[in-house]
Amino acid sequence: MKAPPAGAGGRQDDARTASAPLVGVLALQGDFEAHGRMLRALGAEVREVRVPADLEGLDGLVIPGGESTTMTLGIAREELGEPLRDLVRSGTPVLGTCAGMIMLDREHLGLADYRCRRNAFGRQIRSFEADLDIPGVDGAPVRAVFIRAPWIEDRGDGVEVLAEVEGHVVAARQDNMLVISFHPELAGETRLHELFLRGVRR
């Protein structure tokens, strides 16, 4: 790829961030394609992330739902653990959904100060939907689709609770990490991705 002229890179990056931020979607396993379609529809450029080099130059990152054990093995196989930690610790905004919420917790990537309970609401046959009021999301309540969903079992003081179901935390924020235990990309609910992208554009 041809390098930009000296001194032009910053201006190009600023223009891209203002108009079409570059968002990576971890694409080792899970529903990454649905997230990519939603992000593109909201005006973002999308890059599927499979190896460390795919993290370079990202303005934001989505860690999708899927199977957390398989995702953990894929991250180890591709030696993505430390590069992911470096990206998040640098302040890059991150959205973690379902298994993505799990991957960020103390027992996995160790980036967020909480611990998740996997399949907390039961197996797939126990899937359900709920209406949630989430700070920063205007309009009607968010219709949340829960499929083998986790919840946050315990958390540190720096974790802001955004929504609960039956007293269990299903949406939270810590620093640059926004995490939810449900699947907005399957319900056609764009407002969580819009909330995430507002942080990316800032």
Side-chain angles (χ1 to χ4, degrees):
M1 185 173 70
K2 186 177 179 181
R11 290 193 298 274
Q12 288 181 347
D13 288 345
D14 289 346
R16 187 193 70 201
T17 302
S19 59
L22 177 59
V23 178
V25 181
L26 190 65
L28 299 176
Q29 189 262 343
D31 56 352
F32 56 89
E33 291 179 340
H35 283 281
R37 287 191 296 271
M38 185 167 283
L39 289 163
R40 289 186 185 96
L42 294 171
E45 294 181 28
V46 176
R47 177 192 295 160
E48 293 182 355
V49 173
R50 294 185 173 86
V51 296
D54 295 333
L55 296 172
E56 294 177 8
L58 294 183
D59 300 311
L61 177 71
V62 174
I63 305 179
E67 210 293 309
S68 59
T69 301
T70 303
M71 212 173 284
T72 298
L73 293 172
I75 287 171
R77 182 186 66 244
E78 302 300 336
E79 299 183 346
L80 270 163
E82 283 309 308
L84 283 169
R85 292 184 184 96
D86 290 344
L87 182 78
V88 178
R89 288 170 179 156
S90 75
T92 301
V94 179
L95 171 63
T97 68
C98 199
M101 171 189 269
I102 296 171
M103 295 309 303
L104 291 164
D105 82 357
R106 295 171 186 153
E107 297 179 346
H108 293 82
L109 289 170
L111 290 161
D113 188 16
Y114 61 76
R115 179 173 57 86
C116 282
R117 182 183 215 182
R118 296 175 58 199
N119 300 323
F121 291 102
R123 307 298 293 178
Q124 190 146 344
I125 197 171
R126 299 289 301 277
S127 300
F128 67 98
E129 299 182 14
D131 290 325
L132 303 176
D133 292 312
I134 297 179
V137 177
D138 296 330
V142 170
R143 190 65 176 170
V145 176
F146 294 86
I147 303 172
R148 298 177 61 192
W151 66 50
I152 290 179
E153 190 93 300
D154 60 72
R155 63 189 188 278
D157 293 339
V159 178
E160 177 190 3
V161 174
L162 301 179
E164 296 178 305
V165 170
E166 299 176 352
H168 303 296
V169 179
V170 296
R173 179 165 33 213
Q174 182 181 356
D175 301 325
N176 53 316
M177 294 172 281
L178 174 64
V179 295
I180 56 178
S181 68
F182 49 93
H183 291 271
E185 78 286 356
L186 298 182
E189 169 58 72
T190 64
R191 289 174 293 168
L192 275 304
H193 288 73
E194 290 170 1
L195 180 64
F196 162 67
L197 286 173
R198 286 204 296 273
V200 172
R201 290 187 168 104
R202 281 198 297 269

